[in-house]
Amino acid sequence: MAQLDQTHDPKLESWVQSANGHADFPIQNLPFGVFSPRNGGARGGVAIGDRILDLSAALAAGLFAGEAAKAAEAASGATLNAFLALGAGPRQALRLRLSELLAKGSPDQAKVEACLHAVEACTLHLPARIGDYTDFYVGIHHATSVGKLFRPDNPLMPNYKHVPIGYHGRASSINVTGTPVRRPRGQTKPPDAAGPVFGPCQRLDYELELGVWIGTGNAQGEPIDIGEAADHVGGFCLLNDWSARDIQAWEYQPLGPFLAKNFASTISAWVITPEALAPFRMAQPGRPEGDPAPLPYLTDAADQKEGALDIEIEVLLMTSGLRAKGLAPHRLGLSHARHMYWTVAQMIAHHTSNGCNLQPGDLLGSGTISGPDLTSCGSILEATEGGKNPIVLASGEERRFLEDGDEVIMRARGRREGFAPIGFGECRARILPAG
Amino acid sequence: MAQLDQTHDPKLESWVQSANGHADFPIQNLPFGVFSPRNGGARGGVAIGDRILDLSAALAAGLFAGEAAKAAEAASGATLNAFLALGAGPRQALRLRLSELLAKGSPDQAKVEACLHAVEACTLHLPARIGDYTDFYVGIHHATSVGKLFRPDNPLMPNYKHVPIGYHGRASSINVTGTPVRRPRGQTKPPDAAGPVFGPCQRLDYELELGVWIGTGNAQGEPIDIGEAADHVGGFCLLNDWSARDIQAWEYQPLGPFLAKNFASTISAWVITPEALAPFRMAQPGRPEGDPAPLPYLTDAADQKEGALDIEIEVLLMTSGLRAKGLAPHRLGLSHARHMYWTVAQMIAHHTSNGCNLQPGDLLGSGTISGPDLTSCGSILEATEGGKNPIVLASGEERRFLEDGDEVIMRARGRREGFAPIGFGECRARILPAG
C-alpha cells in the first residue's frame, strides 16, 4: 500500500490559486490524464485546480530528472499505458516532484506556469488504450436488490459470498466523460407480448461504479498473489456502466449481459493514483456474522487492515425541466465504497488466479455500489424498485427510467479528519434519442 | 458476398510445388498471417503450400502496384489490423495479384521465389492485435446438450431461437496455435463438499469453434445492417475456447462464464479470406418446422441464400500413449458449420444493433459447433456426456476430460465438387500441468 509522506500534508498549498480548497484537484491529489489544448494534439497532463500541467512542455523545460523524468516521459504521450506499465516507483517519484513544483514557494513557479492550460480550453480524452474491461459485481446491496427483481425466489446466488463474481465487458465502447450516449435499440420481450420485439430501450439505467486502472500486469499462467495485488493498481476512476434493463432481462441467460451493457460505458477522465488515495484507506468493514471466510487465495492480513476505500460516491440527475427552472441536479443516490463486499486486491487476485493475464491500461469495474436503502442506490432500477415507484424531481418531472436529454453526473470524494479532501472529477454524460 | 473469379479456377496450379494438392494452402486459398523468419522480426505473409511469401520483401522487389500495393503495404507489418481495416476492395486486388505471381508460368517467379520462407523455419504469431473478443453460442446442438447437463429441466432458454446469444470474452489471453496452455487453478464446489475449494481444474475441456476476424468496423451508435454485415468480415480462423467445466459450473450465475474461459484461447494462425471461402457458401439450412422466424433486423434474402458456410470442422486428440505407440491422433469429433443456428451476418447485425462498435481486428467466436450425435461433438463434455462415459483410445488410454500432456488439434476444410479443396491450417496446443 502507498505510504503517507509530505505530499499528503493538509497544510500544503499551491501557487495555483484555484487548487487551494478545490473540491477535486488540490495539490494533494495530482491525478494523471490525457488532454488536447486548443489547436494541439493529445498529450499527458496533471490536473491542478482548474488548470492542467502539460507534461511534455514541463519535460522540455527541464523540470524533471531521474525516475521522475522517466515517469513524466511515459505519461506525456497520447495514452498513459506506458506510464501505467512503470508501476509505483517512478509514479511516486514523479508525484513527489510535481508536489514540489506546484507548491507555494517553488523556485520553478515561472517555468511551470508556462506549462499550464485552463481546463475549460482543453478537450479531455480516455487516459489509456483499454485492452480488456472486466466488470465485477461486488456491491452486495445492489446484487441483492437486483437479484430480487430478476429472480424473486433466489436473489443472491450461493456462490456470491465465496466468489468475487465478474464478467468481461466491452472495451471499444468506453467513452470519456462528456461524450453523449445514444439510447440503444434492442430485442426485448414485453411480459404481455407473444414474442420478442425490436425497438428503442424503454428501461435505460445508469450504474454507479468505481473503476480500477491496472498498472503493471502479469504474464499469462502466472497469478498475482493477494499480497502483491495492490501493487498492480495504477489508479482509480468513476465508471457509469449504462444498462438497458429490458434488453438485459431477455438476453442474459445463460451467458450473462451483452447488448444490454456494451453500447456505452462512461468514465471520468483522471487517473486518481493509489498515492493520492493513501489517506483514504480503511479496514475491511467485516463480514456480517455467519458469512463464510474467504478462501486463502483471497485472504491477506494487510488487505483486511487497509484494503477497503473510504470514498463517498454520488450520482445526480440533470433534466431539461430542472435546467429550465434553474434548479440544481437531483441527487439520485449517495453511496460509499465500503459497500463493496470484496476489495480491489481480492478482485485482482481472483481475476488472475487461473493464470489470466492483466495488462497495463486494463480497466476493472467494481459493479454497482449501492448502499442499503433508497437514498443510496447506485441504479435507477433500485431507486424506483424496478420502475414501480417513480422519482419525483423538484421540477415536477417524474422518472421511472432515464429519458432522452437526461444527464447523469457521478462524483466521488475522499474525506478524512486531518487530511485535505480530494475528488475524482466528474463522470457525466447526456442521453441522445435512439438513432 | 465475394464473387467467383479466376483465382478460384480448380485447374490453377502454382510453381510452388508443395502447394499443388496441399490440404490447406493450395493457390486457391492464399491466406494472410504474421510470422518471423529465423533471425528476423515479425512481418506479414501469405501461406502457399509449405512456404510463406514475405510481403515486405515482395513489396521491396516491386511486385505490387496500385490497390494491390496499398493492401500489401498494410499487410506487411507486425499485425494485420491496418490490412483488415482496408476492407474488401484492396484485399481482392492483392489476392488477384498474388494468384498471378504464384501461378505456374508467372514471369516473376524468380523474384517471388527470393521472397519465400520455409514455414518450418518460421515462427507464427497472432495475425492481429485483438481489441475485443466476443464469443457467440450459435451451435444449437451444443447449446442443447450442454444446457441439459447444467440445467436438465431447461436446456434451451426461451430466448435462444430469437437472439444470437453472445458474451464478451478475454482478448489478452488469446494465443496462436502451438502455444502451450497451462491447466488453470480455480474455485469449484464439488457436489459432495460443504463449501468451495481451490485447486487445479479437474474437468478441462476444449471447444471447437470458428473464429471471425472483423475487417472494417462501425462507429459507435451506428449499427451494421444485416445486408451489409458480410462486407465487414475480414476473414476466418479456427478457435479453441478452452473451458474449465468445474470452475464454470460454480461461477457462471448470474453473469456468465469468466475464469472458466479466460485463462487461454487458441486460434489458427492464418486469416482465411471471404474470397477464399466464396466457393464454400451455402444457403441457410432452414429452421426446423415450428421454429420462429428471425426478427426483420436479422433477416436478409442474400444471407438466407448464401450466408451459411459449407465447412467441415474436426477436432483430434494426441496423447502420450498414442505418441509412444506411434499411433495417429484420435478423432474426437467431426462436425460442420451448417450446425450454426445463426449466420455470421446475423451475429454481426445483432452485435451492432444497439450501436456497439466493432473494430478491425476484433474477433468473434461462433461458439462450439457440435453435430447432432456422439461422433460430431465439439467438446469433451458432450462426447463423454459430462464425464460419465469415457472415450477409449487405440492406445488403451481413457479420457473423461483432458489430461496434462494431451494435445488438442483442430482442422477445417472446404470441399465442393468443381472447386479445389482448401483448409484453415491447424489450431493446436498441448496442456501443461497447473503451475
Side-chain angles (χ1 to χ4, degrees):
Chain A
M1 299 286 173
Q3 299 302 305
L4 294 174
D5 59 31
Q6 65 267 40
T7 64
H8 301 102
D9 182 349
K11 293 192 295 292
L12 201 62
E13 294 204 318
S14 177
W15 51 260
V16 179
Q17 284 304 330
S18 62
N20 302 318
H22 195 276
D24 290 316
F25 308 130
I27 191 170
Q28 289 82 2
N29 194 345
L30 303 174
F32 295 86
V34 174
F35 74 103
S36 301
R38 219 170 257 155
N39 307 320
R43 64 195 70 182
V46 177
I48 177 80
D50 59 11
R51 293 288 182 275
I52 302 175
L53 173 63
D54 183 328
L55 287 170
S56 311
L59 272 164
L63 291 164
F64 302 110
E67 281 282 89
K70 181 179 155 194
E73 179 77 39
S76 64
T79 72
L80 297 182
N81 293 73
F83 173 65
L84 290 163
L86 285 179
R91 188 178 66 223
Q92 288 165 357
L94 178 55
R95 173 181 168 86
L96 204 61
R97 178 62 179 148
L98 287 166
S99 181
E100 285 170 9
L101 289 171
L102 291 161
K104 269 187 184 162
S106 162
D108 296 302
Q109 176 174 342
K111 279 192 196 169
V112 179
E113 213 151 13
C115 305
L116 294 181
H117 299 266
V119 68
E120 75 266 18
C122 297
T123 306
L124 298 175
H125 303 289
L126 283 181
R129 182 177 34 73
I130 301 168
D132 279 288
Y133 160 48
T134 303
D135 203 21
F136 283 86
Y137 197 54
V138 308
I140 189 166
H141 299 298
H142 172 75
T144 308
S145 312
V146 172
K148 263 183 206 148
L149 296 169
F150 279 79
R151 299 170 301 275
D153 49 334
N154 195 18
L156 213 54
M157 296 286 175
N159 56 18
Y160 189 85
K161 293 180 174 180
H162 299 278
V163 179
I165 294 291
Y167 70 111
H168 290 293
R170 183 86 195 168
S172 72
S173 56
I174 300 176
N175 303 128
V176 76
T177 182
T179 311
V181 170
R182 191 164 289 287
R183 178 181 298 272
R185 294 179 187 274
Q187 197 181 133
T188 60
K189 169 82 172 58
D192 52 348
V197 296
F198 184 83
C201 166
Q202 302 294 316
R203 294 164 71 93
L204 187 58
D205 202 353
Y206 53 87
E207 290 197 328
L208 175 60
E209 305 197 13
L210 282 179
V212 178
W213 291 104
I214 296 298
T216 52
N218 63 304
Q220 195 172 355
E222 297 181 12
I224 296 173
D225 188 84
I226 177 84
E228 313 286 325
D231 300 338
H232 290 264
V233 174
F236 296 84
C237 64
L238 277 162
L239 168 64
N240 183 347
D241 192 39
W242 302 93
S243 297
R245 299 300 180 191
D246 42 359
I247 297 174
Q248 185 176 357
W250 175 233
E251 76 168 0
Y252 91 105
Q253 286 196 326
L255 298 182
F258 179 48
L259 300 191
K261 302 277 192 171
N262 67 9
F263 58 94
S265 309
T266 305
I267 61 173
S268 56
W270 296 100
V271 177
I272 312 298
T273 63
E275 290 70 39
L277 291 180
F280 311 105
R281 309 300 307 206
M282 56 184 273
Q284 289 182 31
R287 300 185 149 207
E289 206 169 314
D291 278 12
L295 285 171
Y297 80 101
L298 296 172
T299 307
D300 176 72
D303 188 49
Q304 284 172 341
K305 203 176 137 207
E306 52 178 0
L309 292 162
D310 192 358
I311 304 283
E312 209 173 70
I313 48 178
E314 184 184 22
V315 54
L316 305 109
L317 176 68
M318 191 52 157
T319 66
S320 56
L322 291 167
R323 243 180 250 115
K325 298 192 176 173
L327 296 165
H330 176 89
R331 180 191 276 172
L332 292 161
L334 177 64
S335 183
H336 194 283
R338 71 168 173 272
H339 299 303
M340 293 168 66
Y341 193 79
W342 299 98
T343 64
V344 171
Q346 288 172 320
M347 287 157 55
I348 290 174
H350 181 67
H351 200 322
T352 63
S353 64
N354 68 345
C356 181
N357 52 326
L358 303 181
Q359 297 182 318
D362 283 351
L363 185 68
L364 313 183
S366 60
T368 309
I369 306 176
S370 296
D373 59 47
L374 283 177
T375 68
S376 53
C377 293
S379 72
I380 206 167
L381 185 74
E382 294 163 85
T384 65
E385 299 175 80
K388 283 204 294 286
N389 304 316
I391 295 164
V392 181
L393 309 178
S395 54
E397 296 165 295
E398 290 193 352
R399 286 293 181 276
R400 292 172 196 271
F401 287 96
L402 295 173
E403 299 192 3
D404 295 344
D406 285 359
E407 189 167 32
V408 176
I409 305 152
M410 295 179 174
R411 294 180 187 144
R413 54 196 158 258
R415 277 199 287 225
R416 184 172 269 187
E417 189 66 35
F419 291 97
I422 67 168
F424 277 42
E426 281 185 348
C427 173
R428 173 194 285 258
R430 191 186 293 215
I431 297 160
L432 303 178
Chain B
M1 299 285 172
Q3 298 303 304
L4 294 175
D5 59 30
Q6 65 266 43
T7 65
H8 300 102
D9 182 347
K11 294 190 295 292
L12 201 62
E13 292 206 317
S14 177
W15 51 261
V16 179
Q17 284 303 330
S18 62
N20 302 319
H22 194 276
D24 290 317
F25 307 130
I27 191 169
Q28 289 83 2
N29 194 344
L30 304 174
F32 295 85
V34 174
F35 74 103
S36 302
R38 220 170 257 154
N39 307 320
R43 66 194 70 180
V46 177
I48 177 78
D50 59 10
R51 293 287 182 275
I52 303 175
L53 172 64
D54 184 326
L55 286 170
S56 312
L59 271 164
L63 291 165
F64 303 109
E67 281 282 271
K70 182 179 155 194
E73 179 77 39
S76 64
T79 73
L80 298 183
N81 293 76
F83 173 64
L84 289 163
L86 286 180
R91 189 178 67 222
Q92 287 165 358
L94 179 54
R95 173 181 169 86
L96 204 59
R97 178 63 179 147
L98 287 166
S99 182
E100 286 170 8
L101 289 171
L102 291 161
K104 270 188 184 162
S106 163
D108 295 304
Q109 176 175 343
K111 277 192 197 168
V112 180
E113 211 151 14
C115 304
L116 294 181
H117 299 267
V119 67
E120 75 265 18
C122 296
T123 306
L124 298 175
H125 303 289
L126 283 181
R129 182 178 31 73
I130 302 168
D132 279 288
Y133 160 49
T134 303
D135 203 20
F136 283 85
Y137 196 53
V138 308
I140 189 166
H141 300 298
H142 172 76
T144 308
S145 311
V146 171
K148 264 183 204 149
L149 296 169
F150 279 80
R151 298 170 302 275
D153 49 334
N154 194 18
L156 212 54
M157 295 289 174
N159 56 17
Y160 189 85
K161 293 180 174 181
H162 300 279
V163 179
I165 295 290
Y167 70 110
H168 290 292
R170 182 86 194 167
S172 72
S173 56
I174 298 176
N175 303 128
V176 76
T177 182
T179 312
V181 169
R182 191 164 288 288
R183 177 181 298 273
R185 295 179 186 273
Q187 197 181 134
T188 61
K189 169 83 171 56
D192 51 347
V197 297
F198 184 83
C201 166
Q202 303 293 316
R203 292 164 72 94
L204 186 58
D205 202 352
Y206 53 87
E207 290 197 327
L208 174 61
E209 305 196 11
L210 282 180
V212 179
W213 291 104
I214 295 299
T216 51
N218 63 304
Q220 196 171 353
E222 298 181 12
I224 295 173
D225 187 84
I226 178 84
E228 312 286 324
D231 300 339
H232 291 264
V233 174
F236 295 84
C237 64
L238 278 161
L239 168 63
N240 183 347
D241 192 40
W242 302 92
S243 297
R245 300 298 180 191
D246 43 358
I247 297 174
Q248 186 176 356
W250 175 232
E251 77 170 359
Y252 91 104
Q253 285 195 330
L255 298 181
F258 180 48
L259 300 191
K261 302 276 192 172
N262 67 8
F263 58 95
S265 309
T266 305
I267 60 174
S268 55
W270 296 100
V271 177
I272 312 298
T273 63
E275 290 70 39
L277 291 180
F280 310 105
R281 309 300 306 206
M282 56 184 273
Q284 288 183 31
R287 300 186 149 205
E289 205 170 314
D291 279 13
L295 285 171
Y297 80 102
L298 297 173
T299 306
D300 177 69
D303 189 48
Q304 284 171 342
K305 202 176 138 208
E306 52 177 0
L309 292 161
D310 191 359
I311 304 284
E312 208 172 71
I313 47 177
E314 184 184 24
V315 53
L316 306 109
L317 176 67
M318 192 52 160
T319 65
S320 56
L322 291 168
R323 240 178 252 115
K325 298 192 176 176
L327 295 165
H330 176 90
R331 181 191 274 173
L332 291 162
L334 176 66
S335 184
H336 193 282
R338 71 169 174 272
H339 300 303
M340 292 168 67
Y341 192 79
W342 300 97
T343 64
V344 171
Q346 288 172 320
M347 287 157 54
I348 289 173
H350 181 66
H351 200 323
T352 63
S353 63
N354 67 346
C356 180
N357 53 326
L358 302 181
Q359 298 181 318
D362 284 352
L363 185 68
L364 312 183
S366 59
T368 309
I369 306 177
S370 296
D373 59 46
L374 283 177
T375 68
S376 54
C377 294
S379 73
I380 206 166
L381 185 71
E382 293 163 85
T384 64
E385 298 175 83
K388 284 203 293 285
N389 304 318
I391 293 164
V392 180
L393 308 178
S395 55
E397 297 165 295
E398 290 193 351
R399 287 292 182 277
R400 292 172 195 272
F401 287 94
L402 296 172
E403 297 192 3
D404 295 344
D406 285 358
E407 190 167 29
V408 176
I409 305 152
M410 295 178 175
R411 294 181 188 143
R413 54 193 159 258
R415 275 199 288 224
R416 183 173 270 188
E417 189 65 35
F419 291 97
I422 67 169
F424 278 42
E426 282 186 348
C427 173
R428 174 193 282 260
R430 191 185 292 216
I431 296 160
L432 303 177

